[in-house]
Amino acid sequence: MDVCYDLHSHSTASDGTLNPVALLERARNAGVDVLALTDHDTLAGIAEAEAAARAVGISLIAGVEISVSWRHMTLHVLGLNVSATHQPLIDGLAGLQAYRIWRAEEIARKLEKHGISGALAGARQYCQGNILSRTHFAHFLVSAGRAASVRDVFKHFLVRGKPGYVGGQWASMEDALRWITDAGGLPVIAHPARYGLTRTKLNRLVDEFKEAGGVGIEVVSGSHSRDETLHMAAVARTRELFASCGSDYHGPEKPWVELGRLRDFPDGCTPIWQADHWPVVA
Ligand code: AMP
Ligand code: MN
Ligand code: MN
Ligand code: MN
């Protein structure tokens, strides 16, 4: 029988709505055999997820999704199969966590100017870990009646040119990839079709990513259309990157796709689980 891999998911340690135990139970019920927990800029959920994975009989890949600033944009880089106790990785992520707190205060200040008060306390109510995310502000804005849905928030608030926007100052590509590789992990470009890159810029990104030690690209993603999947499969093949697949699950609410509900790789992709150093898990 085919092994079901889902290598991109979130828990309440960042901006997911299920705690690690509930996430692993749901993954088991969805038929996932190998799950990577990849919370934004934190490893705080990993220990709990590992214990829950053992309890439900799933293989857990310890992962992280690092926020990276690259050429005035924000990109997400996954680190798969990292050591969650590697101190330079933990220290690097601590810097991003501190930046998130500062940014949250800025976001709240900007929303206040726009006539929306109490946003920081409101966002904190939805945040169970120490990763304050725009998602938590989005839940607050919906509950305050300022937007109809989380998706709506990302159209009218918190993005460039809209109230509550604060430009990100995240990790450099070099730092993020060094933290990941030194922690024994495999760096993977997350949801590459989401950045609106031209062909030239995508090529440049892959050049710099590989130069810094990057080895994989998410070909199959919960946020990729069929055409985007085919496009990224071609990039993986021609640029000799391992292909990864992940739902980017954040919880049972819209707009996220279900855990493990993923297309197969297009022909010619080499799955990341065939990379050296991938743990023999299933
Ligand atoms: P942050 O890392 O705090 O800037 O927040 C980014 C997060 O916001 C992403 O990881 C998504 O979970 C969420 N997000 C971004 N755009 C959207 C969208 N259009 N709809 C729903 N969630 C979104
Ligand atoms: Mn998220
Ligand atoms: Mn992401
Ligand atoms: Mn994600």
Side-chain angles (χ1 to χ4, degrees):
M1 216 187 74
D2 277 357
V3 176
C4 178
Y5 289 87
D6 189 336
L7 301 179
H8 188 160
S9 71
H10 297 271
S11 75
T12 46
S14 65
D15 60 348
T17 56
L18 299 184
N19 64 39
V21 173
L23 180 74
L24 268 293
E25 282 171 359
R26 191 165 180 112
R28 192 253 331 261
N29 293 338
V32 174
D33 300 299
V34 183
L35 182 79
L37 177 63
T38 53
D39 275 310
H40 298 284
D41 306 324
T42 186
L43 298 160
I46 298 294
E48 206 183 330
E50 276 171 346
R54 277 192 296 275
V56 301
I58 282 184
S59 299
L60 187 89
I61 300 293
V64 63
E65 180 172 17
I66 300 185
S67 309
V68 168
S69 290
W70 181 76
R71 297 185 179 236
H72 310 294
M73 313 176 39
T74 297
L75 302 174
H76 287 171
V77 175
L78 301 172
L80 296 180
N81 192 38
V82 292
S83 159
T85 56
H86 185 72
Q87 201 57 44
L89 173 61
I90 292 169
D91 293 344
L93 298 179
L96 299 178
Q97 290 158 20
Y99 169 69
R100 280 181 174 280
I101 291 167
W102 177 86
R103 184 190 67 156
E105 289 163 359
E106 279 295 294
I107 290 175
R109 210 172 49 75
K110 294 196 167 181
L111 288 173
E112 181 97 47
K113 275 195 187 159
H114 189 71
I116 300 172
S117 56
L120 186 58
R124 280 192 196 280
Q125 281 203 313
Y126 292 93
C127 178
Q128 297 183 46
N130 67 342
I131 295 297
L132 261 172
S133 154
R134 282 185 294 164
T135 308
H136 302 118
F137 280 94
H139 288 306
F140 161 71
L141 288 167
V142 172
S143 76
R146 300 290 182 148
S149 66
V150 166
R151 185 168 272 185
D152 227 39
V153 172
F154 285 95
K155 276 192 202 137
H156 303 295
F157 299 93
L158 314 181
V159 291
R160 207 185 292 268
K162 304 289 179 186
Y165 173 70
V166 180
Q169 292 160 34
W170 306 106
S172 68
M173 178 81 81
E174 293 70 26
D175 283 350
L177 269 66
R178 198 181 57 250
W179 300 336
I180 293 168
T181 47
D182 286 359
L186 300 170
V188 173
I189 301 172
H191 42 62
R194 288 284 63 78
Y195 309 122
L197 296 170
T198 59
R199 207 163 275 265
T200 312
K201 265 211 145 179
L202 179 58
N203 262 316
R204 201 172 293 155
L205 166 61
V206 171
D207 287 343
E208 292 186 24
F209 177 71
K210 289 186 68 165
E211 179 74 32
V215 298
I217 188 165
E218 239 176 15
V219 168
V220 172
S221 161
S223 78
H224 282 175
S225 69
R226 207 184 124 74
D227 281 355
E228 288 168 341
T229 302
L230 289 170
H231 178 205
M232 294 310 157
V235 172
R237 278 194 305 269
T238 55
R239 303 304 311 273
E240 299 186 326
L241 289 165
F242 289 109
S244 190
C245 63
S247 59
D248 201 3
Y249 187 78
H250 283 67
E253 308 80 11
K254 277 186 192 174
W256 307 107
V257 305
E258 188 52 73
L259 286 161
R261 191 86 36 95
L262 293 165
R263 297 172 215 282
D264 291 338
F265 287 129
D267 289 345
C269 291
T270 308
I272 188 119
W273 49 88
Q274 288 177 15
D276 291 343
H277 310 304
W278 186 266
V280 178
V281 285

